[in-house]
Structures are given as structure tokens and as C-alpha cells.
Amino acid sequence: MIVDEQIVFIVDDDQHMREALCELLTPLGLRALAFGSAAEYGGFPRPDLPACLILDVELPDINGLEFQEQIADGDHPPIIFITGHGDVPSSVRAMKGGAIDFLTKPFRQSQLIEAIHEAIGQDRASRLQRTELTRLQQRFSDLTPREREVLPLVASGLLNKQAAAELGISEVTLQIHRGRIMQKMKAPSLADLVRIAEKLEIPITHSRHAGIVSE
């Protein structure tokens, strides 16, 4: 039975190789879609599912390593390279570019299957992280301008009176802002708020110790 929650993209100009890979993966419950060129793959509306990309190095329209560089900043799944003409420089270049593996034909089926599971697992984890970040960014956007000023002060560990003095407001007002921030950001504790600030890359420029500014 095919598992629709994950998908394997195959880009190889060798039709026999494409067919062989599809025949290998389908019984394992892996949905596979094959393309004869990078352009065909690039023009396909990819489902929003955890995936991996099996990519041949020698393609008719572009070198696979160059294609890897082109899509590096895009929303593309982890890559597993396959090639009939492998060499050390190409392997090093592929791995430095973030490839999961670089397999030289003929390769063992177990090697490929292991790499596929690793790649899909990595993509699934990345998707969860992106989803969480998007959720946190939405919560942060719901804060008022003043609450956005208070958040980094609280996350830095400043006492309420220190944070209030920094903003020129009363300690009571600071406590009200702090409570609303914790509620809107769904942070059960200060430790959770600190982790949220780190994930949002909110600059922390103050120290709890008065008069000390972190670098």
C-alpha cells in the first residue's frame, strides 16, 4: 500500500533506471514520481508532503550539482545523488551542498533505501520546525508595539523593576504587559518565553545585572 504522506522524486535521464527505482520503491509503500530532466521536475507542482529527491549527476539539461546549487535557497527536499561517473571532487561538492548521500551506480538497494528514509525524516523534521516558526511569528505579530519592547527585556532575565525602569514605565504596568505577552505567546513559563525568543531570533541586549549590556 502506498503511503501518501511521503514522496520520492526521481530525476534521471535513463528511463530504465527510473522504472527500476519506481519498481523498487512502490512495494515499500513509497510513492515515487520520476522525471527525465531537471526542467520537468522544476515544472511539476509538488505536493506539500515530506519528500526526498533522487538526482542523477549527468542530466540532459543541467549538471545535477549545478541544479543543487540553483535550488539551494528554495523549498526543495533533501537530495540523494546517484551517478555512473562518480569522483571524489563531485562527492565532496555534493555533500558540502547538503546532500544526504552520493551513490555510484551500481549501488546496493539497502544503501539507497537507508538514504531515502534519512532524507524523508530530515525533511519531515524541517517542515515541523518551519510550521512551528510560522506559528510563533503569527503570535509575535499579535503583540502590541509596547509588548514587543517588553518581550526582549523579560526574556533577558531583567527583574520587573529593571525592565520597567528601562522603558520609563511603572512596575505594575510592566507586569501587565508581561502577563499579556506570556498569554499571547502561549508561554507557560519564563524559560519557555526565552526559548521562543531564541527561535524568533529576537536580539537580547540586556543583562539582569544592572549596568551590564551583553555584546
Side-chain angles (χ1 to χ4, degrees):
M1 180 177 67
I2 301 299
V3 179
D4 291 333
E5 286 74 23
Q6 55 193 25
I7 188 168
V8 179
F9 297 105
I10 301 165
V11 180
D12 195 311
D13 63 339
D14 185 336
Q15 181 178 349
H16 296 295
M17 176 58 72
R18 296 198 302 271
E19 293 175 350
L21 290 174
C22 288
E23 291 176 0
L24 169 66
L25 300 178
T26 300
L28 299 177
L30 293 168
R31 180 185 176 192
L33 291 177
F35 307 89
S37 68
E40 288 181 19
Y41 165 75
F44 180 78
R46 289 176 288 111
D48 185 17
L49 295 171
C52 73
L53 170 60
I54 298 176
L55 182 63
D56 190 12
V57 174
E58 300 297 331
L59 296 171
D61 52 350
I62 188 174
N63 180 277
L65 295 169
E66 294 177 359
F67 185 59
Q68 178 191 31
E69 294 176 354
Q70 284 188 8
I71 65 176
D73 296 330
D75 183 18
H76 291 270
I79 296 174
I80 300 167
F81 277 102
I82 57 175
T83 180
H85 309 282
D87 57 65
V88 174
S90 295
S91 176
V92 171
R93 179 179 173 185
M95 300 306 285
K96 283 187 174 180
I100 296 297
D101 211 337
F102 189 93
L103 304 177
T104 302
K105 303 172 185 176
F107 46 80
R108 296 195 305 274
Q109 292 182 2
S110 59
Q111 283 182 295
L112 178 62
I113 293 170
E114 182 179 352
I116 288 173
H117 287 308
E118 180 182 350
I120 291 177
Q122 185 182 106
D123 192 44
R124 181 177 285 108
S126 296
R127 286 171 174 273
L128 289 174
Q129 290 176 354
R130 289 197 296 270
T131 298
E132 181 185 14
L133 181 59
T134 298
R135 185 165 55 246
L136 293 177
Q137 290 172 334
Q138 179 59 52
R139 292 173 186 171
F140 183 75
S141 69
D142 291 336
L143 299 182
T144 65
R146 176 60 88 183
E147 288 166 350
R148 294 180 194 178
E149 291 180 319
V150 170
L151 192 157
L153 299 178
V154 172
S156 69
L158 289 184
L159 299 174
N160 287 338
K161 63 181 180 180
Q162 292 175 313
E166 179 72 23
L167 296 174
I169 59 179
S170 70
E171 187 173 346
V172 172
T173 300
L174 189 286
Q175 290 175 332
I176 293 173
H177 287 311
R178 175 172 177 159
R180 288 174 178 170
I181 291 169
M182 301 289 283
Q183 182 180 31
K184 290 182 180 179
M185 298 304 298
K186 299 187 185 303
S189 67
L190 177 58
D192 291 310
L193 188 65
V194 171
R195 284 191 287 270
I196 289 172
E198 291 175 348
K199 290 177 181 178
L200 291 174
E201 299 182 349
I202 296 174
I204 304 298
T205 58
H206 292 74
S207 167
R208 177 170 181 169
H209 301 288
I212 299 178
V213 179
S214 58
E215 295 180 356

